[in-house]
Amino acid sequence: MMKYKILFLLLFTALFAQAQKKNYAVILPTDSESEIIFKAANVVPSPRQLRWQKLELTCFFHFGVNTFTGNEWGTGKEDPKIFNPTKLNANQWVKTAKDAGFKQVILTAKHHDGFCLWPTKTTEHSVKNSPWKNGKGDVVKEVADACRKQNMGFGIYLSPWDRNSKFYGTDEYNDFFVKQLTELLSNYGRIDEVWFDGANGEGPNGKKQVYDFDRWYRVIRKLQPAAVIAIMGPDVRWVGTETGYGRETEWSVVPADNLDQAAISSNSQKSINFKPTGDMRGDDLGSREKIIHAKGLVWYPAEADVSIRPGWFYHKDQNDKIKSPEKLLDIYFHSVGRNCVLLMNIPPDKEGLINDADIKVLHQWTKLRDDIFKNNLATGAIISSSNGIHGNALLDKKYDTYWTTKAKDTSAVIELKLKNKSTFNVLMLQENIAIGQRIEKFELDYWDGNDWQKATEGTTVGYKRLLQFNNITTDKVRLKILSSRLNPTLSEIGLYFQPETGNDNAKEKK
Ligand code: FUL
């Protein structure tokens, strides 16, 4: 009986500790360095951030008047009559994305030109004044419905910078923007991501607009509480380039010094709202050196955006400049494989279809990924780690179960005796970020018959880490976790073989 009481108490304490975890931490002036590191190791994603991170692959659709003018940034003076996709088929867009492994799409409901892809009540500058479907069409609805039908997430891009609205530059613009947001968040079912672009080309003598971000966030939280707010928003950070590459060391916990400390302390919510300020482009955002001087910490994970083409919008003369399948594979390794979510843009053409040239590349890219990741050569390995527990969780294909160390040790060695002698050149690791991001340094060694040799090494892991290295043939490897902010966790481990693709991937290999 006593045994059950203790078990119950332990379970209750564990659940309580879990429920206590937040996606931010307040740092007190009296906190020591080790207390700050402990706090950082216990910051976790909010449920909406965790759902988003698990998507790995998300897809952008840039579509609008620019598709018809050939511009990248419209002026806002375009005649709505130019918008006339003759074969628009949103099911084809979403199917193309789904077939390539994407889990969610984001549509440019309004780009900087202010042209709205839905028949909004807020402006005449929209599809309702275009010849497309005699002004009765609604691109947002067609894409939202296609996503629902094909079980894909759906998000919207609504550009804060609006070169058409007569309100831009006045207080009324915030009311106008809230009305647009309200329409989009009320009439199209579930919205999973709201993307606020930071771009503004007004220049020093242009219109000045103060965006009421706090109000916008409140509207989103009220109407679509599950949606993440990206870029100029509190949930998802812009990785800092538009190349699709994440940092070698990518921490999801970063300083949040612009947070209102008093508000956080009294905040009973599980996650907070804050506007990103400061430089998010540096090489190092979350190392010990960065966080020990912080006043607050926040879970703020990176999204790596990139276009499959040179431009964000479709231009016919770029049909032969689509990134190669090998380049896209390299991007995959350095975005998803570096603790980021990839947001890849595939712009529909003037007819309103994803072009065959893009589809062809996407098929080849998907095949390259499948060929590598279909066969985990660690499957069936015998796992041992002297100071670790739940080793079997590493190969059970379940993200939520995880290996960790017994007495909260911050280093460990995990040995894998492979089922067969195998040749591999890719390592995959996944930390259980629902517990926190902790691993700071690791190394993979292999047994060459006489001794241990280093295969590769890395710093952060996070949701997913992929490392490529030269071919290794062995039946025994060991993963050394050399440094961690608290007891490390690992959900999954994988060893894969990447066949030579004849590209210059090798230079990325270690
Ligand atoms: C940028 C914009 O200016 C581009 O046109 C594009 O939408 C990209 C995703 O973000 O800031």
Side-chain angles (χ1 to χ4, degrees), residues 60 62 72-73 111-112 157 195 197-199 242 305 312-313:
F60 239 154
H62 273 66
E72 274 293 309
W73 278 7
H111 203 251
H112 309 327
Y157 167 113
W195 218 88
D197 201 326
E242 290 177 343
D305 62 331
W312 290 96
F313 286 87

Side-chain angles (χ1 to χ4, degrees), residues 329 332-333 366-377 425-426 468 495-499 501 505:
L329 183 66
Y332 175 80
F333 268 107
T366 308
K367 182 162 185 328
L368 287 178
R369 279 170 18 237
D370 288 351
D371 283 351
I372 299 169
F373 294 106
K374 68 178 181 235
N375 189 12
N376 184 354
L377 296 158
N425 50 21
V426 174
Q468 295 160 291
L495 296 171
Y496 303 94
F497 178 67
Q498 177 182 6
T501 50
N505 273 350

